[in-house]
Amino acid sequence: MPLPTTHVSFPAGAVTGESPILAVHRLADGRSAVVTEATPFHPLDHTWPDQPADLGTLTVDGTGYAVVDCLTGGVGPDGGDPLVGADIPVRRGDEEWSWLVLHVVEEIPADVVGKTAALAVDAERRGLLSASHTGCHLLALALNAGLAPRWRKDPGRSDAFGSPDFDSLAMDTSVMDTEASTDTYRLGKSLRKKGFTTDATDELPSLADALPALTATVNAQLAAWVAADAAVRIEVPGPELTARRRWHADLPAGPAEIFCGGTHLHHLGELAELRTELRLSEDGAELVAVTRPKRA
């Protein structure tokens, strides 16, 4: 029978835990993937790999094994070894599949199956990634507001505060590391058809000319939110890895929610500063936002 979908505790901020080892699988590169019943580790999401995997240690019978990677694995209804990345042929969360957190170690004895593992995430690294991810969502909301006047018509999708959702409509890639989040937006034909303009109008300068003022406006909003020390949490409908979770922030203008499978800060007072740098490509077809949090 396939293994049960892994239960995860990282949405609440957990960085330690204990759980039985259910299986050890050999990966194609020769390393081993350890499957536990539950885990605090956040794995790389194969469908939207924005937040890097947690690293840390897995200890069994007093021996520690370095967790050098953490992946999402899928096992079909017929069982077999877990598939990873592009080899998974179904949508994430397919109910006929089991979805596993694979703790990747260089080598571990097969006889650890059935024993209890102590799991410990690198908490400092997790905290830096969480700060970048929280900053990414705040940037999205502030940028949506700053770009709202550039929409000539309603694109049919708005964020929590009623601004046209430029972030989701134009998003190409989003990547976090321990220093910043980098969001890349495409400003092509499909966005223009939805009503967005980068050109100068009677009311607005071109986006290229407006970029310094836009950056200042976005950074002022980010600073105000950090100063408000808003509470942040992940709303979790269930403990399963595949549960559809929401990031929730109690911002001064009201609550904001964004679907998210990553990890986050607990309140914005954990930041001393949050600033973004906006860059427009020479051909005007791409906008890049690099948002750097500074922890308090």
Side-chain angles (χ1 to χ4, degrees):
M1 291 181 61
L3 296 170
T5 291
T6 307
H7 285 193
V8 295
S9 54
F10 64 76
V15 292
T16 60
E18 291 189 350
S19 183
I21 296 176
L22 302 182
V24 176
H25 295 278
R26 181 73 66 176
L27 297 175
D29 61 9
R31 297 184 297 178
S32 294
V34 181
V35 180
T36 55
E37 185 177 283
T39 184
F41 277 76
H42 173 266
L44 184 71
D45 187 325
H46 69 291
T47 58
W48 188 248
D50 55 349
Q51 181 172 333
D54 279 337
L55 307 179
T57 58
L58 183 153
T59 302
V60 186
D61 290 341
T63 300
Y65 302 90
V67 177
V68 296
D69 202 355
C70 194
L71 305 172
T72 298
V75 178
D78 296 329
D81 290 338
L83 302 177
V84 298
D87 291 335
I88 299 175
V90 296
R91 292 175 64 89
R92 181 184 186 276
D94 186 302
E95 293 184 359
E96 293 187 358
W97 281 58
S98 297
W99 298 94
L100 311 174
V101 175
L102 305 178
H103 307 85
V104 179
V105 299
E106 294 295 343
E107 190 173 355
I108 194 169
D111 65 4
V112 298
V113 175
K115 296 182 178 181
T116 297
L119 301 140
V121 173
D122 180 336
E124 177 62 21
R125 183 173 179 277
R126 161 76 73 78
L128 293 171
L129 292 172
S130 295
S132 290
H133 207 149
T134 298
C136 172
H137 288 342
L138 293 173
L139 175 277
L141 295 169
L143 187 60
N144 285 348
L147 290 173
R150 307 203 74 90
W151 293 90
R152 295 173 305 202
K153 62 181 180 180
D154 183 354
R157 188 184 303 176
S158 300
D159 66 16
F161 298 130
S163 298
D165 199 348
F166 171 86
D167 177 77
S168 67
L169 292 166
M171 176 65 71
D172 184 24
T173 61
S174 181
V175 179
M176 289 120 210
D177 58 31
T178 55
E179 296 183 356
S181 65
T182 301
D183 296 287
T184 303
Y185 302 98
R186 287 188 176 177
L187 310 177
K189 291 182 180 179
S190 63
L191 197 67
R192 291 198 295 273
K193 287 181 179 178
K194 291 182 175 69
F196 187 80
T197 180
T198 61
D199 298 330
T201 68
D202 292 341
E203 297 81 20
L204 294 169
S206 69
L207 181 57
D209 289 340
L211 209 59
L214 175 64
T215 302
T217 297
V218 170
N219 279 326
Q221 180 62 84
L222 295 177
W225 284 337
V226 168
D229 191 17
V232 176
R233 66 180 183 274
I234 303 296
E235 296 188 341
V236 184
E240 299 83 9
L241 173 62
T242 50
R244 198 172 190 209
R245 298 178 287 273
R246 292 175 184 259
W247 173 85
H248 181 106
D250 292 317
L251 298 174
E257 291 187 338
I258 295 174
F259 283 111
C260 181
T263 67
H264 287 277
L265 303 176
H266 294 294
H267 58 94
L268 299 186
E270 295 176 57
L271 298 175
E273 185 180 63
L274 182 66
R275 295 186 61 81
T276 196
E277 175 190 353
L278 301 178
R279 300 194 299 263
L280 195 63
S281 62
E282 288 188 11
D283 63 2
E286 189 175 84
L287 177 67
V288 177
V290 180
T291 307
R292 300 182 185 278
K294 182 184 293 185
R295 296 176 75 193

